[in-house]
């Protein structure tokens, strides 16, 4: 059996003299939520298009579901779901008819539509033309279509971009539930907070190169240059101590004296790590 769902080695993609991806390599295991992070123009969407067979001319190797991405067949596509930048919705058709058309293409019983629309809380919009849905509702409709056939692998390209916090939280819950059901999720985003919350592993992509890879919390700990403990006392004063054994008794004394309002260590955020590594922000 495969020990990975996706694997790409030394992938490079150029458009003329411009190198969009430069020798990127990674592997993603079954049941993993993987995040590809970086600012707009970093190469995230290009890599998704390579992995989904939309771009076939590139250097290196890319394998998806045991098949080279240049040779993906209906068998592999039937195991994939996609939420990409182009929704591909038929805006004059109702939400229900959009899903029914997709269900017929894949030979899915129409009873599955009711199950999925309830899952994404869109059951009250089934008669509404897709073009008249709000942005958040459209995104949930695209999400419903992507999971209608119960895919093993889900590609999500900036799935919460422009959505309100409530809809974003719902999409996050859906991603976790899909992972619990055995799906593997490949997520692109420039939202570092989102990636920290969702992802088992992430790759930071900058100007076509992966500059860091690993578990988000472990990456932040790795780049914790300060290695200090910050204690905010109830009187408003702050105490800064070395994150070391010799500080243990002092920290215990503050707690015993009931004077601690908050305590935290100095790990940077993913965004701070990215800026440190690249010298640039995410926008």
């Amino acid at each position: 059996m495969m020990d990975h769902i996706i694997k790409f080695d030394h992938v490079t993609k150029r458009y003329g003299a411009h190198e969009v991806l430069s020798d990127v390599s990674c592997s993603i295991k079954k049941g993993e939520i993987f995040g590809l992070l970086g600012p707009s123009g970093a190469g995230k969407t290009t890599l998704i298009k390579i992995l989904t067979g939309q771009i076939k001319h590139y250097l290196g190797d890319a394998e998806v579901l045991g098949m080279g991405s240049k040779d993906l067949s209906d068998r592999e596509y039937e195991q994939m779901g996609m939420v990409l930048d182009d929704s591909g919705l038929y805006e004059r058709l109702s939400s229900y008819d959009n899903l029914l058309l997709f269900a017929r293409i894949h030979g899915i019983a129409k009873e599955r539509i009711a199950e999925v629309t309830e899952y994404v809380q869109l059951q009250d919009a089934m008669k509404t033309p897709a073009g008249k849905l709000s942005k958040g509702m459209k995104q949930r409709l695209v999400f419903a279509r992507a999971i209608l056939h119960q895919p093993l692998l889900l590609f999500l390209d900036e799935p919460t971009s422009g959505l309100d916090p409530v809809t974003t939280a719902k999409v996050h819950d859906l991603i976790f539930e899909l992972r619990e059901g055995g799906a593997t999720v490949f997520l692109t985003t420039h939202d570092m907070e989102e990636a920290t919350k969702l992802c088992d592993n992430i790759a930071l992509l900058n100007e076509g190169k992966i500059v860091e890879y690993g578990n988000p919390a472990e990456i932040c700990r790795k780049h914790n240059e300060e290695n200090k403990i910050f204690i905010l006392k109830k009187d408003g004063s702050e105490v800064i101590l070395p994150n070391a054994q010799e500080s243990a008794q002092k920290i215990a004394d503050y707690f015993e004296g009931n004077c601690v309002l908050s305590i935290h260590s100095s790990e940077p955020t993913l965004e701070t790590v990215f800026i440190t590594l690249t010298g640039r922000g995410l926008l």
Side-chain angles (χ1 to χ4, degrees), residues 114-121 143 147 170 173-174 177-178:
E115 180 183 338
V116 169
T117 52
E118 183 176 357
Y119 180 69
V120 300
Q121 297 182 359
F143 207 95
I147 64 174
K170 179 59 183 175
D173 289 342
L174 292 173
E177 289 177 31
L178 288 166

Side-chain angles (χ1 to χ4, degrees), residues 86-103 105 125-133 138 141-142 145:
D86 180 6
S87 71
L89 294 173
Y90 295 95
E91 299 211 338
R92 293 185 180 181
L93 294 182
S94 68
S95 300
Y96 179 83
D97 285 340
N98 267 277
L99 295 178
L100 181 61
L101 179 61
F102 190 80
I105 291 171
M126 285 296 93
K127 294 181 180 179
T128 305
K132 293 186 177 181
L133 297 175
K138 273 187 179 179
L141 179 58
V142 173
R145 186 186 61 190

Side-chain angles (χ1 to χ4, degrees), residues 173-188:
D173 289 342
L174 292 173
I175 292 171
F176 280 129
E177 289 177 31
L178 288 166
R179 193 264 302 276
E180 290 302 311
T184 302
V185 179
F186 186 108
L187 168 77
T188 73

Side-chain angles (χ1 to χ4, degrees), residues 203-217:
L204 297 180
L205 191 68
N206 182 56
E207 296 180 348
K209 298 180 180 179
I210 293 177
V211 296
E212 185 60 278
Y213 167 84
N215 175 268

Side-chain angles (χ1 to χ4, degrees), residues 11-15 18-22 46 50 55 57-58:
V11 168
T12 297
K13 175 62 183 174
R14 298 186 182 93
Y15 291 104
H18 179 50
E19 195 166 79
V20 181
L21 293 171
S22 179
T46 298
I50 286 173
I55 293 176
H57 299 289
Y58 60 89

Side-chain angles (χ1 to χ4, degrees), residues 25 37 47 51 65 120-121 134-136 145-146 172-173 194 197 201 206 208 242 245 251 254 263 268 271 273 276 283:
S25 300
L37 282 65
L47 184 55
L51 295 176
L65 295 167
V120 300
Q121 297 182 359
S134 67
K135 181 169 184 177
R145 186 186 61 190
H172 289 175
D173 289 342
E194 177 172 71
K197 176 181 178 181
N201 289 296
N206 182 56
Q245 185 175 357
I251 295 171
Y254 285 124
I263 182 170
E271 184 163 3
V273 170
T276 300
L283 299 178

Side-chain angles (χ1 to χ4, degrees), residues 39-42 205-208 271 274-283:
S40 298
L205 191 68
N206 182 56
E207 296 180 348
E271 184 163 3
F274 185 85
I275 292 171
T276 300
L277 291 172
T278 67
R280 62 181 293 196
L282 293 170
L283 299 178

